[in-house]
Amino acid sequence: MLSKVPIALAVLLSISPSFALWPAPRQITTGSTALKLSPGFKITTTGIKNVPSDLTDAITRTLNFIANDQLQALVVDRGASSAGVVKTAKSLSSLTLSLKSTGTVKSISEEAILPLESRVEGYTLVIPADGSAATLQANSTLGLFRGLTTFGQVWYELNGNAYTLQAPFHIVDSPAFPYRGFMLDTARNFFPISDIKRTLDAMSWVKINTFHWHVVDSQSFPLVVPGFTELSAKGAYNAQSTYSPADVKDLVAYAAARGIDVIAEIDTPGHTAAIAQSHPEHIACPDATPWSQFANEPPAGQLRLANPATVNFTSNLLVSAASLFQSSYFSTGGDEINANCYTSDAQTQAELSAQGTTVDGALNTFAQHIHGALRSVGKTAVVWEEMLLAHSVDLDKSTLVMVWISSDDVAAVVQQGYKVIHTSSDVFYLDCGAGGWVGQNVLGNSWCDPFKTWQISYAFDPLANLTTDQQDLIVGGQHLLWTEQSGPANLDSIVWPRAASSAEVFWSGPGGNGDTALPRLHDISYRFRQRGVNAISLQPEWCALRPGACDLNA
């Protein structure tokens, strides 16, 4: 008997804890028949001319996951009581992939970096219960990849068999929002490429499609930019803590093959103190103290935004950096500009006076130049909300605005007709709640306390209190990890599985039930660990094996 699971309202999941797809498909019907994979199970394509190599690689990875996950069902006996029905179950011998469209076949990597409005990620997955071939159809190779991701989550292991108890499956799925991201700051503390690749893998397993790379900041400048190599030579922590053009090319390709677009950020004009190590002429109030009067974090230092040479330097820097990335988007930041830094800088004051303008006036001119430079090389600017709400910069309507100070600020952005990416600190900041990191402040809290649990982000409604027209301006959202207190040692544990919660919100849509989501999120954590990503436990295993038994009023 088939049962329908509406978008993000996975009622079935409270009944069948071993059913654990994440993010929840937008339309799904399932049954109650056992099905196992045959020993010779294979994934093939039909009707696809010149199958892209990254699709072939994705098929191979899917087969390897099915063979190696060895994940037992999260029930008390870990599935042992199902041994009889699994042993006699019919066997699925193949999954066949096909494209509905007949046009030119693009690779996953090509599809992943298209502008947001052009990405096609939907798919239809049918797994019969009688052992006949399963089918996966989509209008793009990217859609096929998303379907493969779902297919790989269906199966559990018992006595050497990969099996499910919920056949048949009929899934028609596509994302509610085109942008589903994760941001990593690699400037406060450095992360090797291997750690970032592991994170990209994990992102792809929950259909996150954008890596927002906050690659440089005041503390260090690890990105090696062609024509500006002195910035990293003097601004990185050391020669080993850098990302070369070859590293970036490798990482961008790795991400794209997993359906992920890499959007780099070079924050301007604030958060640029590291540039003073090689170009002090471009930085106001470098290393000024006490730092708290000149910056939100040490060390102090901001670009001399009113200086024509600095504007040209910054434009050229951004264009060169942008050439390393395939994305249609590039972030120029624009947050936490400190007014006192410019007030105390004699050169900036003289230049403002000579031009007859204010800091905000100079900022507007600065932004026009750097964003124009990026547009000239085909990039759309991404900014933090202050550029629009605190400084009234005249932004092009194509600009994507990240709202981070408060989710309440979304209304003011969409009222001006700009597209919004939800990144609010009250919902999506992963670093909150770890205590203050500033020295000589032993009783200090993190500024964005409390700790943001997965439940907080999972319950978030990206469309709340917006009109229909305004809702169309919400392109998605992301979790963010600022790394004052994070590094390779705790990357996995601080990100996963919390970041998976926003992946479902922005794929499946708002309105998910946190109670029925918890067993599935347990499953994701366990599956991640089987694949080498050290996601934390959300409850004692006793609870994970007994869905609902540890509820507050159980």
Side-chain angles (χ1 to χ4, degrees), residues 251-311:
L251 194 68
V252 167
Y254 190 91
R258 286 152 182 79
I260 297 170
D261 189 22
V262 180
I263 298 179
E265 178 183 353
I266 293 183
D267 205 349
T268 62
H271 292 272
T272 47
I275 293 175
Q277 301 304 312
S278 56
H279 289 280
E281 70 275 15
H282 293 309
I283 299 299
C285 69
D287 291 317
T289 56
W291 63 263
S292 59
Q293 295 182 19
F294 300 94
N296 282 56
E297 288 187 6
Q302 299 180 160
L303 288 167
R304 285 186 165 128
L305 77 176
N307 181 269
T310 301
V311 175

Side-chain angles (χ1 to χ4, degrees), residues 20-24 58 61-62 65 69 145-153 197-209 254 258-260 492 496 500 503-504 507 523-535:
L21 306 184
W22 194 285
R61 290 198 304 275
T62 302
F65 288 145
D69 277 358
F145 177 66
R146 301 300 181 211
L148 284 171
T149 300
T150 300
F151 185 82
Q153 294 178 346
K197 284 185 173 180
R198 188 177 66 256
T199 302
L200 291 167
D201 284 332
M203 291 164 60
S204 74
W205 301 336
V206 289
K207 301 184 175 70
I208 293 175
N209 71 350
Y254 190 91
R258 286 152 182 79
I260 297 170
D492 291 3
W496 305 111
E504 179 154 298
W507 178 280
D523 190 276
I524 285 296
S525 292
Y526 279 69
R527 194 176 293 276
F528 271 31
R529 290 197 288 269
Q530 293 294 102
R531 297 181 182 183
V533 174
N534 291 318

Side-chain angles (χ1 to χ4, degrees), residues 208-226:
I208 293 175
N209 71 350
T210 307
F211 177 52
H212 173 191
W213 191 2
H214 188 91
V215 61
V216 302
D217 209 291
S218 282
Q219 290 83 4
S220 74
F221 201 106
L223 182 65
V224 181
V225 181

Side-chain angles (χ1 to χ4, degrees), residues 19-32:
F19 179 86
L21 306 184
W22 194 285
R26 313 225 14 237
Q27 284 187 317
I28 177 171
T29 55
T30 69
S32 56

Side-chain angles (χ1 to χ4, degrees), residues 29-107:
T29 55
T30 69
S32 56
T33 301
L35 181 70
K36 61 188 176 185
L37 296 183
S38 68
F41 174 78
K42 59 184 179 179
I43 300 176
T44 62
T45 63
T46 182
I48 304 176
K49 295 182 179 180
N50 301 317
V51 178
S53 60
D54 54 12
L55 179 57
T56 301
D57 291 342
I59 290 171
T60 299
R61 290 198 304 275
T62 302
L63 290 169
N64 287 338
F65 288 145
I66 292 171
N68 298 322
D69 277 358
Q70 301 291 300
L71 179 64
Q72 295 179 325
L74 294 186
V75 292
V76 173
D77 65 1
R78 303 311 297 269
S81 58
S82 300
V85 296
V86 171
K87 183 177 181 180
T88 60
K90 293 185 176 179
S91 296
L92 178 67
S93 60
S94 67
L95 169 68
T96 301
L97 278 55
S98 63
L99 290 173
K100 298 176 186 177
S101 57
T102 57
T104 302
V105 177
K106 290 186 174 71
S107 66

Side-chain angles (χ1 to χ4, degrees), residues 391 438 539:
H391 303 290
V438 178
Q539 290 181 314

